[in-house]
Amino acid sequence: MDEVAYQMNLLKAMNQQLKQENNMYARLVETSNNAFLYYSFQDKLFRTMGNWEHFFDVPVNSKKELSRVFDTVREEYVQPLKEAIGLENKGLTYTSQEFCKKDGSLWGECEVTMSYHQDGSPAEETIRFRDITKFKAQNDNLTYMAYYDMLTGLYNRNYFVQELTKWLQRAEKENMIVSVVFIDINDFKKINDGMGILVGDELIQVFGQYLSEFAEDENIICAHFNADVYCMAVYDPFGKRNVGYLYQTIHERIKKPFMLSTGPISVDVNVGVAEYPEASTSALELINYAEIIMFRSKKDSTSNIRYFDAPLIKEFRENAAIEHKLKHAVPEKEFVLYYQPQYEAGTGRLRGVEALIRWVNEDGTVISPSQFIPIAEKNHTIISIGEWVLEKAVSTIAKWKQEYGAPIIMSINVSAVQYRQEGFVHQLMKLLRKYQVDPSEIELEITETVLIEDFDLILQKMKYLKRHGIKIAIDDFGTGYSSLSYLKGLPVHTVKIDKSFVDTVVQDKASRILVEAIIQMVSRLGYHTIAEGVEQKEQYDYLKQIGCEYIQGFLLGEPFSEQQMTTLLKEQTVFA
Ligand code: C2E
Ligand code: CA
Ligand code: CA
């Protein structure tokens, strides 16, 4: 083969290979979803390739026609896109820019690559257009979910806290007030349970929409926290943004029902308000306080709106601390029983003692039972505390009887929660056997609240206790629902007349009439009477005169420690 022929064959082969490669690139470009734009600065060669129609429904064949592309995108992207595509010397090798079609149907991104000659003049520009609509939508949903509540379209809690924090920073600089307004729909659970979750959801939505109208004021933001709980923040709450005024507006609106697809529904709300900087300077704390205050407004029915109140928050904090400590309290170590004597009014003979619990904290501070017992009842720690009290009281009376032979009664306070416990009676009987205590030496003090629920069951227990010789006293008589008529059928042994009557019995004629009537009727029904909280001699004398059998109070003796009691028992003091 001569030289020429050889060269010819080689060229052919190279040509063939080039063609193949060209084809391959063309196919790649065509089958990808992307579009490309190629521009050569030197020979002004302009070409579009790939899936161009997917992005732009206008053909673009020259640099001049590029303006057609810009005509199809949203206004805010025109300039940035022009700058990115430009087809001029930008001095960059790579840049990218997002854009959105005017009708919102497509989000795209263009990636621009430039190459330069050695002298710095631009050589070629390649642009790739990518469809990022899907990615954008996902991203938007995520952003949306991160900031807004899906059900109502209001801010969610996180975003609200974020924005509130910003407002507080601003308020600090501008010396302004920010109100946090916590709103809760009353009895929402009833609606949800009674009418179904769908109705509940719709109500949350509709009410949320109503609240969102307030947020049209740029100084008000509105959030839906969860279920029936909403929260607003008001920057500079004056004039029409005054919280009282906002509440009035809401209050007026909810006088009329909200229309749901299932029909009209009426709602009532409770509102708690805490303001920066008075209540706190922290966003989370403000929200927290507003919530506590809201709960308080729910509790007392005087008004459905309540404002921050420092003593209330203090009380709440203390109670929360007590609740926490109670859970970890060890009865044998931290609780002690004190004993307050009860005397017979006529003879001054010691009738018995009432066991009163004291909680001594590690640091030596004593917490009063009126403070912790209600909390212990709520979190049910009263069960173990009550068990401890029972055993301590029963074992103590056993010891006293053995050592001093004192024929006295041990009165034990029993909380309603404890009394209703299934094994309560059994547990008490077991203790009496264990310490060999005569049931007649034990009196259980219960309040009328015990009788409210499960009357029959409670009555059964009372009857059982009575059959076994255990005494039952109605504590704080006259403060609750007590009517003398219900006493009639109860296997009660003693009625304790509440201190509030004793307090006024000397000065107040009406309370004298009442106390006299109570004592007379109670005695005629065959029950014994004890007056509690007797502090003055005049009270004692008067009560004795009208036939009150027993007296208990600071006048005769404050609650004594076990040690003090032994002295008293040794001396077998008679009060005269
Ligand atoms: P309570 O059963 O009505 O007990 C009488 C309370 O009045 C006692 O308060 C007693 O110290 C106080 N007191 C007695 N005489 C006078 C007086 O002359 N003047 C004044 N100002 N107060 C007097 P305490 O010990 O603080 O107990 C408060 C409440 O805590 C009790 O009221 C009772 O409801 C409850 N509690 C006490 N110990 C126990 C217990 O072991 N178990 C249960 N479940 N509750 C208990
Ligand atoms: Ca009592
Ligand atoms: Ca009492």
Side-chain angles (χ1 to χ4, degrees):
M1 216 195 302
D2 62 10
E3 183 63 22
V4 178
Y6 172 75
Q7 291 285 348
M8 284 292 285
N9 274 344
L10 194 64
L11 253 170
K12 246 189 188 166
M14 280 171 72
N15 222 354
Q16 184 76 12
Q17 196 183 350
L18 249 167
K19 251 191 190 154
Q20 262 178 356
E21 274 182 14
N22 252 344
N23 272 342
M24 189 177 78
Y25 287 125
R27 286 199 68 76
L28 273 176
V29 164
E30 241 90 83
T31 50
S32 99
N33 219 1
N34 299 334
F36 299 87
L37 193 160
Y38 171 84
Y39 183 70
S40 156
F41 286 85
Q42 205 168 2
D43 40 30
K44 312 270 185 289
L45 180 65
F46 186 100
R47 263 186 79 185
T48 59
M49 285 167 276
N51 204 347
W52 184 262
E53 302 78 45
H54 179 71
F55 295 85
F56 310 105
D57 33 22
V58 284
V60 177
N61 297 310
S62 67
K63 191 178 165 184
K64 238 169 106 190
E65 286 175 1
L66 209 52
S67 63
R68 293 180 179 173
V69 163
F70 303 131
D71 286 345
T72 68
V73 305
R74 277 193 186 155
E75 209 185 312
E76 64 265 38
Y77 295 106
V78 173
Q79 197 49 36
L81 204 59
K82 269 186 186 165
E83 277 167 26
I85 297 179
L87 302 188
E88 54 205 37
N89 187 359
K90 289 183 281 274
L92 296 164
T93 51
Y94 178 86
T95 179
S96 72
Q97 176 60 46
E98 265 181 23
F99 61 92
C100 179
K101 297 293 291 287
K102 262 187 181 147
D103 58 3
S105 62
L106 181 137
W107 277 91
E109 184 187 42
C110 67
E111 295 173 289
V112 183
T113 319
M114 295 278 285
S115 65
Y116 295 89
H117 292 297
Q118 271 188 333
D119 64 359
S121 61
E124 292 169 323
E125 178 167 339
T126 326
I127 302 172
R128 178 166 81 132
F129 294 91
R130 281 196 313 135
D131 184 340
I132 57 164
T133 314
K134 240 195 210 153
F135 170 76
K136 211 48 195 177
Q138 262 171 7
N139 214 19
D140 262 11
N141 267 342
L142 284 178
T143 330
Y144 189 81
M145 282 186 341
Y147 297 126
Y148 294 91
D149 164 63
M150 282 304 195
L151 199 56
T152 58
L154 297 173
Y155 284 6
N156 65 21
R157 197 177 197 283
N158 282 342
Y159 194 39
F160 182 81
V161 173
Q162 248 179 56
E163 291 301 289
L164 178 60
T165 309
K166 283 188 210 154
W167 273 11
L168 298 186
Q169 287 160 357
R170 197 177 119 202
E172 194 192 347
K173 286 196 205 102
E174 298 176 358
N175 234 333
M176 289 285 184
I177 291 173
V178 182
S179 296
V180 173
V181 184
F182 204 94
I183 305 169
D184 179 282
I185 300 179
N186 272 349
D187 287 332
F188 178 76
K189 203 174 139 35
K190 268 193 208 149
I191 298 171
N192 222 21
D193 293 350
M195 305 173 78
I197 295 179
L198 290 180
V199 176
D201 275 5
E202 197 182 347
L203 175 63
I204 290 170
Q205 230 165 4
V206 169
F207 189 69
Q209 262 155 24
Y210 166 65
L211 289 182
S212 72
E213 289 170 18
F214 291 97
E216 279 165 18
D217 183 327
E218 59 176 7
N219 284 315
I220 298 180
I221 49 177
C222 205
H224 175 230
F225 281 4
N226 54 51
D228 54 338
V229 173
Y230 303 84
C231 200
M232 285 210 243
V234 187
Y235 194 84
D236 188 22
F238 288 101
K240 284 208 156 175
R241 285 197 302 274
N242 173 301
V243 173
Y245 179 79
L246 293 177
Y247 172 71
Q248 271 312 317
T249 314
I250 296 173
H251 199 66
E252 280 304 312
R253 172 62 190 88
I254 60 181
K255 281 183 185 163
K256 293 173 295 173
F258 285 91
M259 290 309 295
L260 304 189
S261 54
T262 46
I265 191 160
S266 293
V267 295
D268 197 7
V269 295
N270 275 102
V271 175
V273 186
E275 284 181 342
Y276 167 94
E278 187 213 0
S280 169
T281 52
S282 128
L284 285 177
E285 210 165 50
L286 282 169
I287 295 170
N288 195 226
Y289 288 169
E291 181 176 11
I292 295 166
I293 301 285
M294 183 281 296
F295 273 118
R296 213 19 109 90
S297 93
K298 241 182 207 193
K299 251 190 176 171
D300 57 32
S301 47
T302 45
S303 169
N304 281 15
I305 182 166
R306 212 175 151 143
Y307 294 83
F308 175 80
D309 145 3
L312 196 148
I313 296 291
K314 186 166 167 263
E315 182 196 313
F316 178 86
R317 277 194 178 149
E318 280 168 5
N319 283 352
I322 289 178
E323 165 141 31
H324 177 78
K325 273 195 275 179
L326 258 184
K327 285 195 181 138
H328 302 98
V330 188
E332 299 77 34
K333 276 199 195 145
E334 291 167 52
F335 294 106
V336 279
L337 281 190
Y338 269 59
Y339 306 91
Q340 187 176 32
Q342 303 167 334
Y343 291 94
E344 198 173 340
T347 61
R349 179 185 66 87
L350 182 70
R351 179 234 190 205
V353 294
E354 175 177 4
L356 293 161
I357 194 168
R358 301 288 175 263
W359 182 14
V360 188
N361 272 210
E362 271 175 358
D363 58 5
T365 51
V366 179
I367 301 175
S368 144
S370 358
Q371 212 181 347
F372 75 82
I373 295 284
I375 300 171
E377 284 174 340
K378 255 191 253 154
N379 72 9
H380 276 69
T381 44
I382 190 68
I383 304 294
S384 55
I385 295 173
E387 278 172 14
W388 176 83
V389 169
L390 271 190
E391 177 142 19
K392 178 71 188 162
V394 170
S395 61
T396 303
I397 185 89
K399 197 167 73 187
W400 286 346
K401 203 178 159 197
Q402 206 179 30
E403 287 174 18
Y404 312 105
I408 59 165
I409 294 167
M410 176 68 81
S411 276
I412 305 169
N413 289 286
V414 178
S415 130
V417 183
Q418 189 188 0
Y419 185 79
R420 284 194 215 113
Q421 278 279 302
E422 209 180 278
F424 173 73
V425 172
H426 176 69
Q427 184 195 348
L428 175 63
M429 301 313 286
K430 222 170 104 183
L431 283 174
L432 296 183
R433 280 195 301 274
K434 178 174 170 189
Y435 293 100
Q436 294 186 326
V437 169
D438 192 320
S440 66
E441 287 163 341
I442 299 295
E443 183 166 72
L444 301 180
E445 295 194 5
I446 58 177
T447 57
E448 298 148 87
T449 48
V450 168
L451 302 161
I452 294 169
E453 277 172 47
D454 272 342
F455 184 85
D456 290 337
L457 195 85
I458 301 305
L459 186 64
Q460 287 308 312
K461 275 192 190 178
M462 282 186 161
K463 284 183 174 161
Y464 180 91
L465 289 166
K466 184 176 178 171
R467 266 205 312 279
H468 286 80
I470 293 164
K471 299 179 175 61
I472 288 183
I474 298 290
D475 204 355
D476 305 338
F477 186 81
T479 55
Y481 306 81
S482 43
S483 88
L484 282 166
S485 63
Y486 87 86
L487 268 185
K488 191 172 59 168
L490 290 179
V492 162
H493 187 267
T494 312
V495 171
K496 295 190 79 176
I497 295 159
D498 192 67
K499 179 176 186 302
S500 56
F501 292 103
V502 175
D503 283 344
T504 51
V505 87
V506 176
Q507 312 92 318
D508 182 29
K509 194 171 169 216
S511 91
R512 264 204 308 277
I513 295 173
L514 211 66
V515 173
E516 267 177 51
I518 293 175
I519 288 177
Q520 253 185 38
M521 293 238 252
V522 168
S523 317
R524 281 169 77 186
L525 285 168
Y527 308 138
H528 299 276
T529 45
I530 303 182
E532 313 186 82
V534 177
E535 292 177 350
Q536 298 158 10
K537 187 77 169 60
E538 295 79 24
Q539 293 167 342
Y540 180 96
D541 291 340
Y542 175 74
L543 289 161
K544 180 177 160 185
Q545 181 206 323
I546 61 168
C548 180
E549 275 182 277
Y550 302 105
I551 305 286
Q552 176 181 351
F554 289 176
L555 174 72
L556 313 188
E558 293 192 9
F560 294 132
S561 67
E562 198 176 330
Q563 172 101 46
Q564 291 169 312
M565 264 315 285
T566 42
T567 321
L568 184 88
L569 289 170
K570 264 187 218 152
E571 295 166 0
Q572 293 278 327
T573 331
V574 168
F575 185 86

